[in-house]
Each structure stands twice: as structure tokens, then as C-alpha cells.
Amino acid sequence: MSTAVQTRIVTCPNCGRRNRVPPAGEGNPRCGQCHQALPWIVDADDGTFADIAEKSLRYVLVDFWATWCGPCRMVSPALEKLAVELADKLKLVKVDVDASPELSTRFEIQAVPTLVIMRDAKTVARRSGASPVATLRDWVQDATQPAS
């Protein structure tokens, strides 16, 4: 069962203009006024995950979370801050594990929050538990560095 994913209205962190950002698409969302990269934060479920996350041309940070999870609510603002800071290279996709049993099984989610970084539909890095934004930033930057 697929849930229709709505276009989000995102306020540009640079100039404050409100912009429509689609859940999927090519390229990177940019502000219509100042042309700065916009944070790309999207909800996905079993039916929309392939289009939103797996077909993305950028790194995707998938947040497997649950509404009843306290640590999930604690880490969410840190992830959104990272989505703003790394708007030019990272897409944040939030998946409610209770509403997406197929993805929960496929990614073997046993604890929430579980964070997965993907590129080209493949898992690049994975971690469970809540962490402060500095720790998450280091983890994301390490995982998204080109191989040397």
C-alpha cells in the first residue's frame, strides 16, 4: 500500500523565501530567489521508497524511526540540521518503521532510530541509536567521502 507523498514547502535558510520541494526528482532543489541549495527532507514508505530514495542521484540518509520512540524524537532535530548544513549533497528520508513493515524487514531494523546512508540504492554506512549532531556530522562526512 502506497501513501501519496506531498510536495513540501521549505523555507530557504539563506534568504527566507518559501519554495516547493518535490519528494523525488533529478538534480538538487534550489531556492527560486537566491539559488542556494535547499534541504531535501522527505517522508517515504514501502510504496514510495524506491522513487524517493533508491533513484536519488545524491547521498541519502534514511532515518528509520517510530512515533513512540523517545530517542527518535531527540535525534530528529539533529538530522534536520545536517540536512540544512549538507543541503548540496544529502537528502534526508524519514521512514516510520510501524507504517513500513516491508522496509523494516528488508533493512533488518531491530532498533530505532537506525540511520542508513545510501548511494546508488546501496547501503554505504549504518548506525543505530541517537547521537549528538557533531557525532552524526562526522559519521556522515566519513561515509560520504570519495574512496581514496
Side-chain angles (χ1 to χ4, degrees):
M1 174 169 72
S2 173
T3 304
V5 179
Q6 300 295 322
T7 297
R8 282 193 177 200
I9 303 296
V10 176
T11 301
C12 177
N14 186 55
C15 73
R17 180 175 179 174
R18 293 168 48 90
N19 297 266
R20 293 183 190 276
V21 177
E26 294 182 16
N28 298 320
R30 300 223 170 254
C31 177
Q33 182 168 311
C34 71
H35 308 290
Q36 293 294 312
L38 292 171
W40 207 351
I41 304 171
V42 184
D43 294 311
D45 62 19
D46 288 337
T48 60
F49 187 81
D51 286 334
I52 291 172
E54 294 177 327
K55 293 180 182 176
S56 180
L57 300 177
R58 60 173 38 193
Y59 283 98
V60 177
L61 172 55
V62 184
D63 174 20
F64 289 97
W65 67 283
T67 56
W68 47 264
C69 169
C72 296
R73 289 191 301 273
M74 290 171 46
V75 79
S76 187
L79 295 174
E80 290 177 11
K81 182 174 178 156
L82 283 178
V84 171
E85 288 177 17
L86 303 172
D88 58 340
K89 75 176 195 179
L90 186 73
K91 181 177 189 178
L92 175 59
V93 176
K94 300 178 76 53
V95 176
D96 180 345
V97 295
D98 293 329
S100 304
E102 291 173 21
L103 287 171
S104 298
T105 300
R106 177 178 152 201
F107 284 90
E108 299 176 349
I109 304 302
Q110 297 182 4
V112 287
T114 292
L115 306 175
V116 175
I117 297 177
M118 298 178 69
R119 180 71 187 243
D120 299 324
K122 294 178 178 67
T123 298
V124 174
R126 180 183 174 120
R127 71 182 293 143
S128 294
S131 299
V133 70
T135 303
L136 292 172
R137 183 183 303 110
D138 290 344
W139 174 69
V140 168
Q141 288 176 338
D142 286 346
T144 59
Q145 291 298 318
S148 40

